[in-house]
Amino acid sequence: MSFTLPVGASAPEFNLPATDGRNYALGDFADSPFLVIFFTCNHCPFVTGSDEVTRQTADRFKSSGVAFVGINANSKNTYAEDDFPHMVTRMEEHGFPWTYLHDESQEIALAYGALRTPHFYVFDKERKLIYTGRAIDTPRDGSALTVNDLERVLEEATSGQPISISETNPVGCNVKWDGKGAHWMPADACDLV
């Protein structure tokens, strides 16, 4: 899809508030040779069904210098549980090993072309996109996965191999956009690609 960031593109800049009380910009992760940015939220069953798999992947590749950043761009006007206070509570309850940012204006989600929650983007040291799409094939039920594309990509990238598959369709709920227009997706949709 032309809406989403193409492979080879540079990571769009951001400066967003995090659940830990700080603001983070793209440059704050400059020491990490690889950066995983994923669009996520608090309530989507495809997110909550796969968060523990994402945690395992983040923990596994931390020693290889892979940083993980989750961004919630869902409109609180569409789904109140996706507001910032609920993000803080979710991180306090689960202690996920990533930085959790709030994109209230949805400008960053638009810049990246986020299609679903979850939707993953993997960037190399130069912050060029090397992968976009899903993490696993069954995000609603992480225990049923048969394919883990995110782990495959990170295994290939951290060992210096070429990326065998650089694009997949993200599987999950539509981003809950606050507004209307030609590029907006239905705010009430939560379906598969």
Side-chain angles (χ1 to χ4, degrees):
M1 285 190 174
S2 59
F3 176 67
T4 198
L5 199 68
V7 170
S10 296
E13 294 287 344
F14 57 81
N15 191 327
L16 297 170
T19 54
D20 65 4
R22 290 182 49 195
N23 268 47
Y24 289 85
L26 186 64
D28 288 319
F29 304 95
D31 290 342
S32 299
F34 296 96
L35 178 63
V36 177
I37 293 176
F38 62 108
F39 288 83
T40 184
C41 65
N42 297 326
H43 82 278
C44 169
F46 295 90
V47 168
T48 59
S50 59
D51 267 342
E52 288 306 315
V53 178
T54 306
R55 179 200 299 274
Q56 292 166 12
T57 302
D59 285 342
R60 178 181 169 195
F61 287 93
K62 185 175 183 179
S63 63
S64 300
V66 180
F68 276 67
V69 175
I71 300 177
N72 175 18
N74 275 4
S75 169
K76 65 183 179 185
N77 298 320
T78 304
Y79 211 99
E81 193 181 334
D82 281 331
D83 67 8
F84 188 72
H86 281 92
M87 291 173 58
V88 173
T89 300
R90 187 158 158 70
M91 285 300 277
E92 288 172 349
E93 290 176 352
H94 296 278
F96 292 123
W98 50 77
T99 303
Y100 195 14
L101 306 178
H102 191 211
D103 178 23
E104 187 169 15
S105 72
Q106 303 187 316
E107 291 175 8
I108 304 306
L110 280 173
Y112 280 77
L115 300 173
R116 303 278 166 173
T117 55
H119 186 167
F120 291 79
Y121 298 81
V122 181
F123 297 92
D124 64 13
K125 180 66 175 173
E126 286 72 44
R127 297 304 178 246
K128 300 293 186 186
L129 185 66
I130 60 173
Y131 174 79
T132 179
R134 69 187 186 185
I136 62 174
D137 58 341
T138 58
R140 197 165 188 144
D141 180 4
S143 66
L145 76 89
T146 59
V147 177
N148 190 327
D149 286 293
L150 183 59
E151 286 216 346
R152 171 190 52 79
V153 168
L154 293 177
E155 285 170 359
E156 292 169 345
T158 57
S159 62
Q161 299 174 43
I163 305 306
S164 56
I165 300 170
S166 57
E167 292 181 72
T168 60
N169 284 329
V171 179
C173 297
N174 288 334
V175 172
K176 302 301 184 276
W177 299 109
D178 188 23
K180 295 179 180 174
H183 59 276
W184 303 109
M185 296 185 184
D188 60 350
C190 189
D191 53 6
L192 292 169
V193 172

